Amino acid sequence: MKLAIAFIVLCVALYAGAVPETPSGSVLARLDFIDSKLLDIQVALKNHHLEVSRNISVLQDRSKSSSPDCATPTASSRQPDTTTTISKPSQPASCKEVSSNVSGVYEIRVSNSNASFEVYCDQKKFGGGWIVVQYRFNGSIDFYRNWDEYRDGFGNLDGEFWLGLEKMHQITRLRTYELIVELKDFSGNYAYARYNAFEIGSEDEQYRLKTLGSYSGTAGDSMTGTNKRMKFSTKDRENDVTVSDCARSFQGGWWYNGCTYANLNGLYMNVVNYKSMHWYSFKNDYHGLSFSRMMIREL
């Protein structure tokens, strides 16, 4: 800074000496001349300063890129990290891995190759840890749907819903699961059917009911004889083994054979009719049910 001031003073003196002779009364003109020269010097100094700054910046960048001391340290030469890293806990792969004992909606991720999605976990009934895959209790949701809807799922996890065949496949293909079916008639009578193994195939396999284990419970076994190993059928994709179009005849989507004694996705109605949501062995007839819930749990 001192050098700059000295330089300015020196230049002023030089320019002052170079000012042409003026009458003694022309002092203002002389001062104006000096001010003009000072302004020129200030502009020149500013430009010179900017040029020097740019040159220094270029030299510093070149020095950093060529100096081994400035290179990125290797793993062995890095200083230890003294900061505390809080790792996010991994997402549960099933309701059985959810730490809470409160029933509700949770996000699970069945594998690293799959995106996470929400499920309803029942953490109370039969020891808890159950993923609810189907739930009906008031008939507010229409279950007479097409293939894409049954594949992707529909309804609301806080109400009536179908989780979706693709999610059921992703959940059951990697680990062993069991199935429980809960039922109520319109008189409030309750029963359940439990199967110790359950697996759904891929869409290429038409979501076949690949595995259905041994039965136990109070509702009777209405699935093994007509649904085990069957492909899934909907009103727009019939995969049953008959020519009667079971999905259209029974007004639902299910693993129809020819056709079924279990029709939990049938019509919600309090009548004796094969199109109804029924479980034949419960009352040994096609009487419609008021409540149906299918749940799977990792073994």
Side-chain angles (χ1 to χ4, degrees):
M1 186 67 177
K2 291 180 179 180
L3 290 174
I5 293 173
F7 181 74
I8 292 172
V9 172
L10 178 60
C11 291
V12 169
L14 291 173
Y15 275 106
V19 175
E21 292 293 333
T22 59
S24 58
S26 302
V27 176
L28 292 177
R30 187 180 183 87
L31 291 174
D32 289 340
F33 180 80
I34 293 172
D35 288 339
S36 175
K37 294 302 180 183
L38 282 174
L39 182 60
D40 291 341
I41 293 170
Q42 288 176 345
V43 172
L45 282 173
K46 184 176 181 180
N47 291 335
H48 177 72
H49 177 72
L50 292 174
E51 182 65 26
V52 171
S53 298
R54 283 194 293 266
N55 291 337
I56 291 174
S57 178
V58 171
L59 290 174
Q60 287 176 339
D61 291 341
R62 289 178 180 176
S63 175
K64 286 181 181 180
S65 62
S66 60
S67 174
D69 293 335
C70 296
T72 302
T74 62
S76 60
S77 64
R78 284 181 181 154
Q79 293 296 319
D81 187 1
T82 57
T83 60
T84 302
T85 301
I86 301 175
S87 59
K88 183 180 179 181
S90 59
Q91 290 175 308
S94 69
C95 289
K96 194 173 183 179
E97 295 183 4
V98 171
S99 58
S100 174
N101 61 1
V102 177
S103 298
V105 177
Y106 293 90
E107 191 170 352
I108 66 170
R109 186 175 183 180
V110 296
S111 72
N112 290 332
S113 60
N114 291 97
S116 61
F117 54 86
E118 290 185 334
V119 297
Y120 189 95
C121 297
D122 188 299
Q123 304 295 70
K124 299 296 183 183
K125 296 295 290 290
F126 300 96
W130 295 93
I131 299 174
V132 181
V133 298
Q134 186 254 28
Y135 189 29
R136 303 183 72 182
F137 59 91
N138 62 10
S140 60
I141 296 294
D142 180 15
F143 273 66
Y144 189 40
R145 305 272 185 142
N146 62 33
W147 180 265
D148 290 350
E149 290 172 300
Y150 268 101
R151 178 192 63 206
D152 301 335
F154 53 85
N156 191 309
L157 292 179
D158 292 322
E160 292 195 331
F161 68 90
W162 173 262
L163 183 62
L165 290 164
E166 182 60 31
K167 292 185 181 72
M168 293 164 66
H169 163 63
Q170 296 299 334
I171 292 170
T172 60
R173 73 184 179 90
L174 297 175
R175 306 184 185 190
T176 303
Y177 274 77
E178 60 178 323
L179 166 71
I180 196 162
V181 178
E182 294 185 290
L183 311 165
K184 280 184 186 178
D185 63 18
F186 280 89
S187 298
N189 298 306
Y190 172 86
Y192 73 92
R194 192 168 185 170
Y195 299 88
N196 64 7
F198 179 77
E199 182 185 356
I200 301 299
S202 66
E203 186 171 18
D204 288 341
E205 299 171 286
Q206 306 300 299
Y207 296 118
R208 183 189 299 274
L209 181 52
K210 295 178 71 172
T211 303
L212 186 67
S214 300
Y215 161 83
S216 62
T218 60
D221 182 9
S222 290
M223 286 189 71
T224 300
T226 56
N227 306 137
K228 188 176 181 179
R229 290 187 292 273
M230 298 310 302
K231 299 175 181 178
F232 200 85
S233 289
T234 59
K235 61 183 179 180
D236 60 335
R237 187 176 300 192
E238 293 283 354
N239 287 314
D240 57 67
V241 297
T242 70
V243 294
S244 59
D245 292 340
C246 293
R248 294 180 184 178
S249 297
F250 279 64
Q251 298 283 285
W254 198 249
W255 296 277
Y256 293 112
N257 185 337
C259 290
T260 186
Y261 284 121
N263 194 42
L264 297 185
N265 293 333
L267 300 180
Y268 191 91
M269 53 185 180
N270 185 13
V271 296
V272 179
N273 189 308
Y274 67 89
K275 296 180 181 180
S276 69
M277 178 178 76
H278 66 258
W279 188 271
Y280 188 88
S281 58
F282 184 14
K283 299 292 182 179
N284 291 319
D285 61 19
Y286 293 109
H287 202 293
L289 299 169
S290 67
F291 169 90
S292 167
R293 186 163 70 158
M294 299 173 63
M295 304 189 297
I296 59 177
R297 180 172 66 181
E298 178 188 352
L299 291 172

